[in-house]
Amino acid sequence: MRILGIETSCDETAIAVLEVKDKSKPRFRILSNVIASQAKLHAKYGGVYPSLAKREHEKNLPVVLERALKEAGEKTDLAQSVLSPSSHKPAIDAIAITHGPGLDPCLWTGVEFAKDLANKWNVPLVPIDHMEGHLLVGLLQQTNKNDKFQMTNAKTTFPAIALLVSGGHSQLVLMKGIGKYKVIGETRDDAAGECFDKTARVLGLPYPGGPAIAAAAAKIRSTKSEIRIQLPRPMMHTKDYDFSFSGLKTAVLYDYQSRPKKIQKSQEYIRAMAKEIQQAIIDVLIAKTLRAAYEYNAKSIVLGGGVAANRELRRQLRYNIQDTKYPPTGDLPKGDKILVAPPELCTDNGLMPALAGFFNLSKKKHGEALNRIAAKPNLRLN
Ligand code: KG4
Ligand code: ZN
């Protein structure tokens, strides 16, 4: 079967076509995964501007759909929109739409678009939790045939602890299987990605802040810098699994304001600060994730969300798991205990809802009645 996944919860308009063979032991092939990013547009506001994002989604959706279908091998006639009444129905068996959590106007744009398509093609529509999408792409493993994927082996994966870190969320999730989730901790204020974005803005780095801070931090060559910065690691040693990143943002602002103008603008300061911000966030995320993995006897750790694209976070988590006093149990080879998608699949994309759509469709069989599907900006994984 073929599932079309649509994602518009924030500032990416994304559509993917996923082919699934053998439903009982599914094998997946990503036929297309098209993303129109609005990051440049929002850069001047230092964050996503919801009404502008909605307008862009409306503009982008038909174009991204045409491209996604075309790349999946459909003979769409670009001169004649697939949305026009006389166009033929593509070989799509179901549609999956992210209906939350996210920005209300953005979610609604995607939901309405998906409903129209489902109606027109007479296929089921499955509403998807954005965070489940982030989670499940981490479980995709490439098979020996390069373009094919399957899910990780359930026996050696679950129970798993998932760290989901994006622009809007930072959560630790206990996962007992696909569809069996319990949020055991989350941020009490800013999300990890939001902290990257806001502190980047203080330093005059572009939006999105995560990749900009990672790039600045990576440029440090000498360890002999005169500039010493020590940021706090908020809630790192508290007994719960919650996070708090707003204090970190304030600490960055105070340090910045305490420096002479010349230093504030210097590459040396910006890079040193970027490195310390990144490290402070990583230290807290890793400490809590490993403790959760230990306390819940996790067999693996799943990493998902835009911040999971951060190479230092991936590297240091892999490194720390080797000789930590909190090693997850199970008999997987060490490197395999951390499950994470390639960086380009960690940030928002249409494959996320398409994949989650497959598992939710098999659960509910026929998707939900169209008129009951609504955007749910505060949807919670549980
Ligand atoms: O999951 P995502 O694409 O969108 C939301 O669901 O929010 O995550 C976007 C967030 C942004 O805050 C961005 O700064 C952060 O992920 N991000 C990164 C990296 N790439 C994206 N943070 C740290 N390092 C990265 N390489
Ligand atoms: Zn996301």
Side-chain angles (χ1 to χ4, degrees), residues 98-154:
T98 302
H99 74 141
L103 300 170
D104 192 55
C106 299
L107 291 165
W108 270 115
T109 310
V111 166
E112 292 301 346
F113 184 81
K115 280 187 187 182
D116 279 354
L117 276 186
N119 223 340
K120 182 168 165 4
W121 296 343
N122 195 24
V123 292
L125 179 64
V126 200
I128 297 300
D129 184 316
H130 181 78
M131 302 315 284
E132 184 177 26
H134 274 310
L135 218 173
L136 293 182
V137 288
L139 300 181
L140 272 181
Q141 304 277 293
Q142 213 150 25
T143 63
N144 45 10
K145 288 196 182 115
N146 263 346
D147 63 338
K148 298 220 171 62
F149 297 84
Q150 61 194 21
M151 296 309 267
T152 54
N153 182 333

Side-chain angles (χ1 to χ4, degrees), residues 192-235:
E194 194 176 358
C195 184
F196 273 114
D197 296 337
K198 287 179 174 170
T199 53
R201 202 173 174 192
V202 171
L203 297 179
L205 294 172
Y207 173 84
I213 286 193
K219 284 194 184 125
I220 293 190
R221 306 233 182 279
S222 152
T223 48
K224 286 191 215 126
S225 171
E226 297 283 296
I227 297 175
R228 293 270 167 270
I229 305 166
Q230 175 70 50
L231 293 173
R233 269 58 176 163
M235 293 186 69

Side-chain angles (χ1 to χ4, degrees), residues 7 9-12 101 130-131 134 165-169 191-197 207-215 278 304-311 313 343 346-349 352:
E7 160 61 49
S9 67
C10 192
D11 61 344
E12 322 282 352
H130 181 78
M131 302 315 284
H134 274 310
V165 268
S166 68
H169 293 83
E194 194 176 358
C195 184
F196 273 114
D197 296 337
Y207 173 84
I213 286 193
Q278 178 173 262
V307 178
N310 187 282
R311 286 175 199 278
L313 172 63
C346 289
T347 45
D348 292 353
N349 60 74
M352 294 162 40

Side-chain angles (χ1 to χ4, degrees), residues 55-106:
R55 216 179 55 205
E56 284 301 299
H57 285 311
E58 282 167 351
K59 204 170 76 190
N60 291 342
L61 273 166
V63 185
V64 173
L65 174 67
E66 302 260 2
R67 268 191 55 202
L69 288 175
K70 205 162 184 220
E71 284 181 21
E74 289 289 336
K75 287 193 201 72
T76 60
D77 178 358
L78 289 181
Q80 189 210 15
S81 167
V82 278
L83 297 169
S84 69
S86 56
S87 69
H88 85 291
K89 175 186 176 294
I92 296 292
D93 304 289
I95 300 174
I97 173 71
T98 302
H99 74 141
L103 300 170
D104 192 55
C106 299

